[in-house]
Structures are given as C-alpha cells and as structure tokens.
Amino acid sequence: MPMTTPLRGVVPPVCTPLTASGEVDTASLTRLVEHLLAGGVHGLFALGSTSEVAYLTDAQRATVLETVVGAADGRVPVLAGVIDTTTARVVDHAKAAAEVGADALVATAPFYTRTHGVEIARHFRRIRSAVDLPLFAYDLPVSVHTKLSAALVSELAEDGTLAGLKDSSGDDGALRRLIVALGGREGRADGPAPAFSILTGSELTVDAALLAGADGVVPGIGNVDPAGYVRLYEAARAGDWDVAAKEQERLVALFAMVDAGPEDEMGRSSSALGSFKHALRLLGVIEHGDTAFPQIPLNAESVALVSQHLRAAGLRPVR
Amino acid sequence: MPMTTPLRGVVPPVCTPLTASGEVDTASLTRLVEHLLAGGVHGLFALGSTSEVAYLTDAQRATVLETVVGAADGRVPVLAGVIDTTTARVVDHAKAAAEVGADALVATAPFYTRTHGVEIARHFRRIRSAVDLPLFAYDLPVSVHTKLSAALVSELAEDGTLAGLKDSSGDDGALRRLIVALGGREGRADGPAPAFSILTGSELTVDAALLAGADGVVPGIGNVDPAGYVRLYEAARAGDWDVAAKEQERLVALFAMVDAGPEDEMGRSSSALGSFKHALRLLGVIEHGDTAFPQIPLNAESVALVSQHLRAAGLRPVR
Amino acid sequence: MPMTTPLRGVVPPVCTPLTASGEVDTASLTRLVEHLLAGGVHGLFALGSTSEVAYLTDAQRATVLETVVGAADGRVPVLAGVIDTTTARVVDHAKAAAEVGADALVATAPFYTRTHGVEIARHFRRIRSAVDLPLFAYDLPVSVHTKLSAALVSELAEDGTLAGLKDSSGDDGALRRLIVALGGREGRADGPAPAFSILTGSELTVDAALLAGADGVVPGIGNVDPAGYVRLYEAARAGDWDVAAKEQERLVALFAMVDAGPEDEMGRSSSALGSFKHALRLLGVIEHGDTAFPQIPLNAESVALVSQHLRAAGLRPVR
Amino acid sequence: MPMTTPLRGVVPPVCTPLTASGEVDTASLTRLVEHLLAGGVHGLFALGSTSEVAYLTDAQRATVLETVVGAADGRVPVLAGVIDTTTARVVDHAKAAAEVGADALVATAPFYTRTHGVEIARHFRRIRSAVDLPLFAYDLPVSVHTKLSAALVSELAEDGTLAGLKDSSGDDGALRRLIVALGGREGRADGPAPAFSILTGSELTVDAALLAGADGVVPGIGNVDPAGYVRLYEAARAGDWDVAAKEQERLVALFAMVDAGPEDEMGRSSSALGSFKHALRLLGVIEHGDTAFPQIPLNAESVALVSQHLRAAGLRPVR
C-alpha cells in the first residue's frame, strides 16, 4: 500500500522463521504476518536486525521480502531493510526491494568502514536518489558503531532525504533533543521537516517515547505480543498514560525472556533472537525456533524459561 | 535533616562557583543554595560531577560541603559525592563527609582500575559498613567506564547496602528493567527492596523516568532553572503528563546551551559546565562563570549564546 | 599457483583503482599488479580492506579478483578477501572466489551482529568445510569490533581450520603471546599448529613483528613502495636488524601521507585510502586517485602533500 | 640521585606489598627494592598502576614513596606516580612527592572527567610549572580512557614540559610514528626534543620497542624477574637482537601467570596483580601475596599455577 506519511503506530521487525535445514520457512513466515496483523499492527519491517537480515544471503532476503509483501497484501505498508556495508551495496538491495514491492526502505550508515559524518550524509542522499521510495535512517550503534547525530538527521529530514528515523540507539535523551529540534511533540506537524516519522526501537520505553512525541515503535518482542504493543500505543494516543505505562511494564517483564540462553555458552543477541522465535513456536505461530548459523540454539532448559515468561505475561503456549 | 526514605523529588547536583583565582566562592555557593531552595527543590547533591568534584582538592571539597550543609541548614537533605578511584580512598571521603554533616553519600564503582562485578559489590558493602549514612550508587559510565548491572543494583538494594541509585547511564531501558525487577512503578513500595530511591540523572527524559516509576531527578541544568524541574515533578506526581512533557520540552530547549562553547576549542563537558555557571552568573546568582582548571573558559560569543537560551526559555538575565 | 605453506613474505592488500565513473579500472589494476610483482612481493591479497572491498558490489568484486588472478598469472599466490557480515554470505563469496581461481581465502569474524566466541569458531569451521581452500582469519577489530582471542586462533590453528592469521589488531603484545603459544619464533615449525602463517597488518612495526617470529606482512602502503617492504623483509630474514629498522623508519615517514586529507572534512580512513591511490597515480601506476563513494576525495592541496611525502622517501612522482 | 637524562634502561613499576590487614608492608617493600636493584635495574617507578596506586590512600602513598626512596638510597632514580583525576589534585601529590625526595614525576591526563586535547596540554604544563622535577607523561588508555596523541606529546617534548613518556597504550605503531617524528632511532639525540626519554610499558614487546628506538621499559613482571629484563635490555643495547628476542620469549611465557586467577571470579587486572605479588612471595621477597581491597585474592589453585610458571621460566620458588 502507498505509505501514509508520517508512518505511525506499531511496526514490528518481522522475525525470519527458518526450516530445520536453515532455509526461509515461508509458510511459517506467512502465518507470522497473519499473527501480527491480527494483533493490529500498523506496518511491517522486514529484513531488520531482528529479522536476522545480516545472516541471510541475497537469495534468502528476496524470499523473505516476497513472502512478507505477499502475505501483507496491501493491508499495511511493508518497510524493507537494505542492510549492507556501503552505498553501492545498499543501492543493489534497494533496487531489489523496490522490484518486490516494498513500500519504504530502511538503511543504516555505512559499517565495517570508518565513515565521516559528511560521508554519511552523501550515503543517504545517494540511496534516496537511486530508488524512489521513502527512506528511513536506521540508527543502531550497537551494530553500526556510529551514532547518527541529531544535526545530521535534522538536515536530512528537512531536505526531504529521509521520511523517518528508526532510532535503536537507546539514547532517549538525544531522541528528545531531535524531537524538540524538529518542532516538538505538538509543533512537529508545523516544524521544518515534511512529514517526518520517528519510530523508536527501544521497546522497553515506548510509553516514554510516545509521551516525548515519537510516532511509533519497532519492537522486536512485538513479534511475540503484537496486541500488547498495539494496546500500549492506543492508550498513549488516547492520553491514558497510566494504562500505557502498565502495559509497558507487562511487556518489560515479558522481555526478560531474552536472557533465557546460558550466558557462558552463547551471546546475548543469539539468546534474544532464539527466545523470540521459540516463543512464536510455543504460541503455535511458526514451526521451528532455531536461529541462523552460526548462532547457538537455545537448549531445552532455556526454552522452558521462555514458556514460563509467556505464561507469566498472560500468553498461552500451545506446545 | 534526617533523610526521609525513599528520597523523592528534585535533587540538583549543586554547581561549585569559583573565585577568579580558582578557589571555592563560598558566598556565591551560599546564594546558589538559596536559589535552589527558593525554586522548591527537595534535596541537594553536593560534590557530584556537575559540581566539578573531580577538579577539587580535598580541602576544597571540605569547603564546598561545609558551605552547602550550612546554607541548607536542615531545610532539605544534603547528599555528598564521595568520588575517588577505589574503596579506601572513598571511605576517607565518606568519613570526612559524615563529620561535616552530610545526610547521605553518593559513590561510584571504582574507576581507573579495572574492577569485576563481584569486586564492585564488595566495594559498596565496605563503604556502607564503614560510615553509617544512607548510600547511593552513582551509575555514570561516561566517567567510570563501567555500567552497574541491574542484577548488582537489585542485590545491593535488597540487602540494604544501597538506599538508592543515581542513574546517569542514559540507559532508560535498563532503568525500566530495574524498576520492574524491584516491584514495578506501583508495586515497588511492597517490593523486595526496603525504601529504595531511584533518581535519574537523565535530565532530558525526566517525565519519562517519572512515568516509569522513578522517584526523582538529579538535573545539572536544574541549577539554572530549579523551579522548572519542580513544576515538571509536581505535574508528574499529579498525573498531569501533558503538562509534564511540555515543561520537559522547555527544559530540553534550555539545555541546548551546553553546546555554547566552540567544538574545536574545548570539550563538550567543559562547554556544558561553563554554560551552567555562566547562566547562573547572568541570572545574578553567582559571581564568576569560570570552570576549574584545566578546562577552557567560554568566550564572549558563547556566553552570549547562553544568554539567548535563558531568554528563550523565559528566564531573565540580570547581567 | 598452489600456495606453499606457510605463506611467507610481503603480501600487499591490492588497492582497487576506479574509473572516473566509479567502476573497477581493470587496466590500472593490471598495471598495479605488475608494479607489485616488480617490487618483489611474495603474494597478493585482493579484496581486503585497503582494496575497499566493503565498497564494492558483488559484480565489482568478481571483476577485481578475475583481474588480479589473471595478472598474477600464477607467479605468486592470490589471497581473496571474503568479507561479509556472517557465515552464509561469506560462503557465497568464498565459492565465487574459488571459481575465479583464488589460492586462499581471508575471512573476518561476523560483524554487524553480536557474536560469541563459540559462534565465531563455528563460523570459521563452516567456511573451511564449505570451500576447499586455505583459510586465513582476518583480525581487524577497528572494522569488526571483535578481537580474535589467542585461545581461539590457537585452537583453529591446531585443528587445521586456519592456515594463517592476518593480524591487523595493532595489539603486538597479544600477537607475541600467540606466537609463543604456537611454539615460539624458532620452535613454531615443530609447534602444535601445522604450517600456520602469521602475517601482520601493522605496517609500522614490521621489523618488530618479524623479530618476534611473524612470517610476513600485509602492508597497505606496500602498494606505494613494495620494494621497500621487500628490502625490509629480506634484511630481517638475513638477521640484519639495523638495516630492517632503518628501512622501517623510512616507510613510517612515508606512511605519514595518510593524514594528507583535511581532518574536519573527511575521515582518516578515506584520507589514507585516497593518499595511497593518489600516490600510485602520481607514480604513474594507476589512472585515477579517487576512492569509492561515499568517501570524500582528496583536494589538490592534499595531493600535493602526498607528492611531497613520495619525494621525501626517495620515490619519483611522474605527474 | 639527580636523574641523568634521558632516563634509559629497566625501570620497574614497584609492587606495593601489603600486610594481612591491608597496610603497606614496609619491610617487604624494602626487600623488594633490594631484589630489583640486585637484578640490575636502572630506576624505580613507585606509585604506578602496578603499584596499585589507585587503591592507596594519601597516607599510604606517602609511606610507599618514603620507603622506596629510602631503600633506593640514591643508587638509582625514583620516579613517583602522581595519579589523580585532575590538575589540582595531581599538583598536591606532586608537591608531596617532591618533599619525600622523588627524582621525577609521572602523571596521566585527567580521567573521570572528559577532557579536550588542548586542556590536557594545559594540565601537563601546570604540573610542570608547579613542581620543579622532570615530568613524564603516562599514556594508559585502559585506565585513563584517553590516548595521548603523537602531536601532543611531540609538542610537550619539544617545549621542555615533558622529560619523557611512559607509553602503556599498547599502540606500538603510534609509538613508532612518535619516535620518527622526534628524529628517529638514531637521530633523536639531535632531534627537536631536548633529552626526551621514551619508556615502553608494553612488557611483551620490549625487544621490538628497543629496536624501534625506545630508551627503556617499565615492566610489571619485571618485579618478578628484573634480571631477565636487564639481560634483554643489555642484549638490545649490544645489538644482539636474537638474544634479546629469545629472552623476551622467556618473559612472555612467564607473563602468562597473569591469567592464573579464575576468569569468572575476578577481573584480569586483579589476577595479574595477584600473580605478581604471589610470585614475589613464593620467591621469598615479600611476606603476603594479597592485593588491595576490593580485589579478590588468588585462590590456592591459582597460586599453584603461578609457582609452575616461575619454575618453567627457570626461577626458584622458596615457598
């Protein structure tokens, strides 16, 4: 669907279910899209970090995007991650995403390379001019090892290069400064940036980000409980901040599943991604809980912990 | 005054005015305390990072604390920073602070050294047992280069070692997880930790922290506009989140003064501290705006920017 | 050519000359290979970081590797960088490199993702088993943001997964510990690892690395002065350490060209890569000095500085 | 003794033996100084990081320095660490050190604070003008979280602020660039800096640093085996690089004791410091092996490992 601007609401980064042999499980992925839409989400972000995009070959990325676009079937916009080291490689992904029917693109600053702020601006401008789709900047210092400065984002917002920001920096103070620079929570509509959408990736402080004036959220654990994030979002839109905060607390407790994997055996990222996928398996949405190679899979004890977290949050495992 | 527990409200880290020769300007400091109390603050944090504690000799620290305790005169509790590299040195500061009449102590994890989590726990327990005053942990990774884990803080909260946390980590997601672990925004009173006070040092997201269940704030720029933070706090306590957010936005705009100093000539910390002190000078509260050596002072152009920020926020420079 | 093991000597990371429109300049690249072989180098590393591999599309990477393999024509072994975020993507590059005729592969640990040590070991083992070519681990924390531990490298050396290490960590102390763990400078031939090659990427301390027992060097500025590094290497092999150190000093002075670009306009990486390429242009080896987009090109003043550095080191610009 | 300039040779950072109750064990410290002088060292560095300076109160620091100066009795120069957060506090330590009879001072850049390069230069100049003793800059990014730039050190060397550098940055490439900037390994005597002494703290690559033109070394494990480092130094001075490298390898193997402590129970710094002190205890030099609070002591198993490392390196435990 043509994306309304600015994009608002809950836009989960869609997990990528895999088969036992490590290929994209399109049937599970289609069910996952239905699960998310049934939860009331306002958009889908395919091929993000939570989608394990960095683990997928180009062929697998194409399969994922085709499946999500097909399953969404125009009911909500589909944002496509175009994650790669530098501009030329990102543009290749962007063209592929446009062909498959993505409604918007999400790109990081260059990584692996060491890139100056001026060069980062050139990077985003080139992507925008190469493929005619709304472009979101993805600020993810934990992976990219660069923080997008408020000055840079403002500049690219105001000149129309960027349609929005997905802020996964965890730096809510910097986000607040950006919102104020763009006109403030009430004044942004009349501010300097045309229809600029601010989505937080900080899934534990969504009530706070919405209070500050963010437009929406891209919550990894929104795969598991999309309806919870939609309730949180709707309460915030209604100004019912106590309800929003209470729902956020329930989701914070649910999020504790990310530490299910044993710390001495696997990384925290693998533990988090594995817990989301096993939760979806336990809920009957997808077939397998395994993450992409070389990540260590959760063991049975860890999966049991995931199941406990689901029940404690009022969700119902069916396996 | 004996500190009520948990400590709640606005507790500014009191700037340390200096004379032209770099000594503590006790007359200005006394006026600053009056300025803060007139603004309605609920406590004072002397010898914190914003107080330039790391630049002060032991003799100067003693002068500062005596002055603040004397000026406060029991009207609000005075927390004293006991900032030094490791336990034995911190204990020396703690004993000195207790003698002068501090109501509580604020200590970081060891720095300069590389210290394991188990050793950090030993550190806080030793301080607590050496000096019988409520002890706050000060989480400031930008200076200490260690992030206090939620597990560590929970453990030390539950066993009574810590009376509270001053969280300047900027990691609002981690703070949220800690609050939920301690019982949640509503359940904390009945949670596992006895009267544990959570104060955020993230002065740009105070409405968010209070919505999440924090007890108060330690805002550097609260030196300049204490009444603004008190209004924000009171609105939040009343559940009037839109008013709180609006006040926060005004304070975010005011905070932009921290970048008044030219970026190629001085550090961002020196620029921020200089802007706070010059703002206080322009408001007629203190005599000189200079920061401690070896920090570069703000130039005239930068001071003019500070003045503009004051006016834009509705404050009235008198110089 | 089938690589003799362990690989020893000077193995420059071959720059990738570009045309004015940003495509691979195969004629210049062919001349560059001749320039390097004329300098006496012992191998070629195509598609490394100095080759701007992260800026090249898959099609461009193929062109580069075909050109280098063709130009080398079996006279020295060609190592191919297979640089991508995770295992499946790296294996795709590795298969492509094998088809084109690379003699060995050079892979980093996963990046962008956060990956545990155990997972990194799985990563290298999977690559080794997927494509039957000698595999070098590329330790480049400045890009990958993980340091390969000595324990991990030892394990993968001893079990035959790795044929060697390209150490660009800059941590010469850790490298020394690894060499000692593998049997020491004299004992390595009889040590636990079968024919394991240690190449330093620290081009400013090559004499030191060779004294410590390293087998060779992968010097970026070896593109500009391959004969200098070969002289340094031969002196070291002959035990003539004073000659080696003197040659190293000349190359350290030459290396200062990396700061030719203005610091406020461009990154240090762009400045370094641009200086190497402009030096090659000035020496008449390649046609254009531009680096890949979005890097800022050197300005005329910077190019003049590069020229000065060449002359000061006894090299003769022809332009 | 008045320090000859530039200072050259082996200058160990003297460990601080403690009694069972955690006080400075002056009898053991006196024996340690004799042990080091018997090994042939050329100077002593008291109150450095290996001396656990950051764990010592001001009173304990005074005791340490008095003891070392008294025990050295003018036979070699004594350098005193004056380690504290910022200028005023460092100057207090510097005055105390001068009174006790230190021959030179060793200061880091400010830490805990965030300090600009221009401010760091002011810091060193103020210290130098406040106390009339030769001043060494101590570059220790792992503790200070700032790397002293080559440009800054050159500037302060050339104008006479600094008498030398203790480089514990581990960045041997940057050190090489500094040496070349100051005139090179042979030309430094006639270079721009008056009698500037470069001492490496990278104890695993001392042969390399001396080959590059460094004047000496400050080796932590030189406490345990001072004679080994003196042999290494003398071989290097004689141009016998193979002997130097072989001795270095023996010391690298000995250094592996730093990992004796269990990784999940204690930090690597505590493990290293504990291993040095227990090695000294096992060799009969000092009475107790404990490190300062809050560091975890080595357990019996770890101490046994230390003993094994001593024997493997040809040293003879007497306990």
Side-chain angles (χ1 to χ4, degrees), chain A residues 59 101 109 141 160 208 230 232 273 283 287 292 295 299 304:
Chain A
V230 171
L232 163 47
L273 293 171
L283 292 172
E287 194 64 28
Q295 296 172 91
N299 60 28

Side-chain angles (χ1 to χ4, degrees), chain C residues 170 172-173 176-177 180 184-185 204-205 207-208 211-212 241-242 245 248-249 252 255-256 258-259, chain D residues 170 172-173 176-177 180 184-185 204-205 207-208 211-212 241-242 245 248-249 252 255-256 258-259:
Chain C
D172 286 354
R176 196 64 169 267
R177 294 189 75 178
V180 169
R185 58 201 292 272
L204 305 179
T205 55
D207 49 353
L211 178 60
W241 296 104
D242 280 312
Q248 178 70 80
E249 283 207 340
V252 168
F255 183 81
V258 299
D259 286 322
Chain D
D172 286 354
R176 195 64 169 267
R177 293 189 76 177
V180 169
R185 58 202 292 271
L204 305 179
T205 55
D207 50 354
L211 178 61
W241 296 105
D242 280 313
Q248 178 69 81
E249 283 206 339
V252 168
F255 183 81
V258 299
D259 287 321

Side-chain angles (χ1 to χ4, degrees), chain B residues 12-269:
Chain B
V14 185
C15 282
T16 303
L18 300 176
T19 66
S21 62
E23 289 306 315
V24 179
D25 177 351
T26 55
S28 286
L29 181 52
T30 299
R31 283 198 301 275
L32 175 53
V33 169
E34 284 305 325
H35 167 70
L36 297 172
L37 291 176
V41 305
H42 307 86
L44 298 168
F45 174 28
L47 299 178
S49 300
T50 301
S51 318
E52 300 176 90
V53 62
Y55 296 93
L56 303 176
T57 63
D58 287 357
Q60 290 171 326
R61 293 187 187 195
T63 301
V64 165
L65 192 55
E66 282 164 14
T67 305
V68 172
V69 168
D73 197 23
R75 290 176 285 175
V76 297
V78 175
L79 288 68
V82 288
I83 308 301
D84 216 315
T85 48
T86 64
T87 319
R89 297 182 66 83
V90 170
V91 167
D92 277 0
H93 294 296
K95 287 178 177 165
E99 272 179 34
V100 175
D103 298 299
L105 304 172
V106 186
T108 68
F111 54 91
Y112 186 89
T113 59
R114 283 160 286 155
T115 306
H116 191 273
V118 172
E119 296 169 336
I120 295 174
R122 281 157 62 95
H123 169 77
F124 283 115
R125 288 199 174 99
R126 173 71 62 95
I127 299 167
R128 183 65 189 86
S129 68
V131 178
D132 191 18
L133 282 175
L135 177 62
F136 285 70
Y138 190 174
D139 194 16
L140 185 68
V142 75
S143 290
V144 176
H145 301 280
T146 303
K147 168 90 182 84
L148 297 179
S149 73
L152 178 68
V153 174
S154 292
E155 179 188 327
L156 296 174
E158 290 172 22
D159 72 7
T161 300
L162 295 179
L165 170 71
K166 193 225 155 177
D167 177 23
S168 296
S169 71
D171 188 343
D172 287 354
L175 183 63
R176 195 64 170 267
R177 293 188 75 178
L178 175 68
I179 290 171
V180 169
L182 291 174
R185 58 201 293 269
E186 289 178 358
R188 269 179 58 216
D190 311 315
F196 189 74
S197 179
I198 294 178
L199 307 178
T200 180
S202 297
E203 53 203 313
L204 305 179
T205 55
V206 176
D207 50 352
L210 295 172
L211 178 60
D215 299 289
V217 56
V218 185
I221 203 164
N223 281 278
V224 178
D225 193 359
Y229 275 100
V230 171
R231 281 194 298 273
L232 163 47
Y233 176 74
E234 297 298 348
R237 296 286 287 178
D240 198 345
W241 296 104
D242 281 311
V243 169
K246 199 166 173 183
E247 187 66 33
Q248 178 69 79
E249 283 208 340
R250 194 185 59 80
L251 292 162
V252 169
L254 179 65
F255 183 82
M257 71 168 62
V258 299
D259 287 322
E263 196 153 2
D264 49 344
E265 287 178 26
M266 60 196 301
R268 292 302 84 193
S269 172

Side-chain angles (χ1 to χ4, degrees), chain C residues 2-319:
Chain C
M3 202 178 73
T4 57
T5 57
L7 179 62
R8 288 209 178 88
V10 179
V11 186
V14 186
C15 282
T16 303
L18 300 175
T19 65
S21 63
E23 289 306 314
V24 179
D25 177 352
T26 56
S28 286
L29 181 51
T30 298
R31 283 197 301 275
L32 175 53
V33 169
E34 284 305 325
H35 167 70
L36 297 172
L37 291 175
V41 305
H42 307 86
L44 298 168
F45 174 28
L47 300 177
S49 301
T50 301
S51 318
E52 300 175 270
V53 62
Y55 296 94
L56 303 176
T57 63
D58 287 356
Q60 291 172 324
R61 292 186 187 197
T63 301
V64 165
L65 192 55
E66 280 164 15
T67 305
V68 172
V69 168
D73 197 24
R75 290 177 286 176
V76 296
V78 176
L79 288 67
V82 288
I83 308 301
D84 216 317
T85 47
T86 63
T87 319
R89 297 183 65 83
V90 170
V91 167
D92 277 0
H93 294 296
K95 287 179 177 165
E99 272 178 33
V100 174
D103 298 299
L105 304 173
V106 186
T108 69
F111 54 90
Y112 186 88
T113 60
R114 282 160 286 156
T115 305
H116 191 272
V118 172
E119 295 168 336
I120 295 173
R122 282 157 62 96
H123 168 77
F124 283 116
R125 289 200 173 99
R126 173 71 62 95
I127 299 167
R128 183 64 189 87
S129 69
V131 178
D132 191 19
L133 282 175
L135 177 62
F136 285 70
Y138 191 174
D139 194 15
L140 185 68
V142 75
S143 290
V144 176
H145 301 280
T146 303
K147 169 90 183 83
L148 297 179
S149 73
L152 179 67
V153 174
S154 293
E155 179 189 327
L156 296 174
E158 291 174 21
D159 73 6
T161 299
L162 295 179
L165 170 71
K166 193 224 155 177
D167 177 23
S168 295
S169 70
D171 187 343
D172 286 354
L175 182 64
R176 196 64 169 267
R177 294 189 75 178
L178 175 67
I179 289 171
V180 169
L182 291 174
R185 58 201 292 272
E186 290 177 357
R188 269 179 57 216
D190 311 315
F196 188 76
S197 179
I198 294 178
L199 307 178
T200 179
S202 296
E203 52 202 313
L204 305 179
T205 55
V206 177
D207 49 353
L210 295 171
L211 178 60
D215 298 289
V217 56
V218 185
I221 203 165
N223 281 278
V224 177
D225 193 359
Y229 275 99
V230 170
R231 281 195 298 273
L232 163 48
Y233 175 73
E234 297 298 348
R237 295 286 287 179
D240 198 345
W241 296 104
D242 280 312
V243 169
K246 200 166 171 183
E247 187 66 32
Q248 178 70 80
E249 283 207 340
R250 194 185 59 80
L251 291 162
V252 168
L254 179 65
F255 183 81
M257 71 168 61
V258 299
D259 286 322
E263 197 153 2
D264 49 344
E265 287 178 25
M266 60 197 301
R268 291 303 83 193
S269 172
S270 301
S271 175
L273 293 172
S275 74
F276 294 167
K277 294 178 97 166
H278 272 287
L280 287 169
R281 186 184 63 77
L282 292 166
L283 293 172
V285 178
I286 70 173
E287 195 64 27
H288 294 93
D290 287 353
T291 47
F293 190 89
Q295 296 172 91
I296 306 289
L298 292 191
N299 60 27
E301 194 180 351
S302 300
V303 171
L305 280 172
V306 171
S307 189
Q308 283 175 31
H309 280 294
L310 290 174
R311 289 174 203 278
L315 300 176
R316 303 270 177 79
V318 298
R319 304 185 193 190

Side-chain angles (χ1 to χ4, degrees), chain A residues 264-287:
Chain A
D264 50 343
E265 286 179 26
M266 60 196 301
R268 292 302 83 193
S269 171
S270 301
S271 175
L273 293 171
S275 74
F276 295 166
K277 293 176 97 166
H278 272 287
L280 287 169
R281 186 185 63 78
L282 292 166
L283 292 172
V285 178
I286 71 175
E287 194 64 28

Side-chain angles (χ1 to χ4, degrees), chain D residues 107-108 137-141 144 146-149 153 165-170:
Chain D
T108 67
Y138 191 174
D139 194 15
L140 185 68
V144 176
T146 303
K147 169 89 183 83
L148 297 179
S149 73
V153 175
L165 170 71
K166 194 227 156 176
D167 177 22
S168 295
S169 70

